[in-house]
């Protein structure tokens, strides 16, 4: 079953692609996502995973949270907790809450809850346009940043280095909650 946010995400991906005058083939080449899957996502026939949205958003020159925010754009400077869109990856159960209001600001705050044992990986392309810090709110996170592995615990904060492939893994038996602070800008 496709929810309202997934339908809005489908329209947002298609609008971002056409605004850049990209064909489905060109987006497929840039993102590494098949033409067939992009078509299914844009038609609302498939609920995309976090990995697929990460690849598509990077290829479209935006962050994943920016893509979600555009799908839920209200133009308000205050985003109350009950109005913060939450997206759940249908495969891993990963929850991503877009905390920040949708504005022209370069700062974005995103709260993530990664279920026990779950992993989500992103290609380096997903990080080209931003600086990022992770602050662990609760639990443990094993963060693979290229060849480097960071073991993070409640209260730890990590500044990410240059863009590289990443994997977020929760090795614990309880969910891991963390805040992602993103500053958009070309390096």
């Amino acid at each position: 079953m496709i929810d309202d946010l997934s339908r809005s995400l489908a329209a947002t991906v298609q609008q971002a692609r056409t605004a850049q005058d990209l064909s489905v083939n060109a987006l497929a080449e840039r993102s590494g996502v098949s033409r067939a899957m992009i078509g299914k996502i844009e038609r609302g026939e498939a609920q995309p995973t976090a990995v697929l949205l990460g690849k598509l958003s990077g290829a479209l020159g935006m962050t994943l949270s920016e893509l979600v925010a555009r799908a839920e754009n209200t133009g308000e400077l205050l985003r109350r907790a009950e109005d913060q869109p939450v997206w759940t990856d249908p495969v891993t159960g990963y929850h991503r809450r877009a905390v920040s209001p949708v504005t022209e600001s370069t700062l974005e705050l995103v709260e993530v809850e990664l279920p026990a044992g779950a992993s989500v990986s992103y290609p380096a392309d997903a990080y080209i346009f931003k600086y990022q810090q992770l602050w662990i709110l609760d639990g443990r996170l094993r963060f693979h940043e290229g060849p480097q592995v960071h073991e993070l615990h409640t209260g730890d904060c990590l500044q990410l280095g240059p863009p590289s492939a990443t994997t977020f893994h929760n090795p614990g038996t309880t969910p891991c909650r963390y805040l992602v602070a993103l500053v958009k800008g070309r390096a």
Side-chain angles (χ1 to χ4, degrees):
M1 181 174 152
I2 304 288
D3 61 16
D4 289 341
L5 181 55
S6 294
R7 276 192 282 283
S8 186
L9 278 167
T12 302
V13 167
Q14 186 175 36
Q15 289 165 358
R17 178 181 61 76
T18 57
Q20 294 180 36
D21 201 26
L22 289 174
S23 66
V24 172
N25 286 343
L27 182 57
E29 255 183 58
R30 277 189 188 181
S31 66
V33 176
S34 74
R35 290 180 13 232
M37 180 54 75
I38 292 170
K40 285 181 180 181
I41 290 168
E42 288 186 353
R43 290 188 303 274
E45 296 171 0
Q47 187 173 13
T49 64
V51 172
L52 284 178
L53 284 177
K55 289 178 177 182
L56 291 172
S57 64
L60 292 167
M62 64 180 75
T63 65
L64 177 54
S65 53
E66 187 177 9
L67 183 67
V68 172
R70 282 188 186 185
E72 286 290 319
N73 189 3
T74 63
E76 297 289 322
L77 296 178
L78 171 64
R79 182 177 268 179
R80 302 230 181 253
E82 63 268 13
D83 297 328
Q84 296 167 358
V86 176
W87 178 78
T88 302
D89 182 343
V91 173
T92 63
Y94 155 105
H95 293 279
R96 182 180 184 95
R97 176 183 300 277
V99 177
S100 298
V102 180
T103 66
E104 296 300 315
S105 172
T106 58
L107 174 66
E108 292 180 39
L109 299 177
V110 177
E111 180 186 17
V112 175
E113 183 173 300
L114 189 60
S119 293
V120 176
S121 298
Y122 295 104
D125 291 354
Y127 297 97
I128 287 176
F129 299 103
K130 64 189 171 230
Y131 303 96
Q132 181 170 302
Q133 290 185 2
L134 303 176
W135 181 31
I136 310 304
L137 301 171
D138 192 33
R140 295 175 47 207
L141 181 68
R142 182 170 296 139
F143 181 68
H144 298 257
E145 183 178 22
Q148 191 168 12
V149 178
H150 304 279
E151 295 289 342
L152 305 171
H153 302 273
T154 301
D156 292 347
C157 186
L158 173 68
Q159 169 72 49
L160 272 63
S164 62
T166 61
T167 298
F168 296 78
H169 174 68
N170 179 354
T173 57
T174 59
C176 175
R177 284 182 48 246
Y178 55 94
L179 181 72
V180 181
L182 308 165
V183 177
K184 296 176 285 183
R186 296 183 189 269

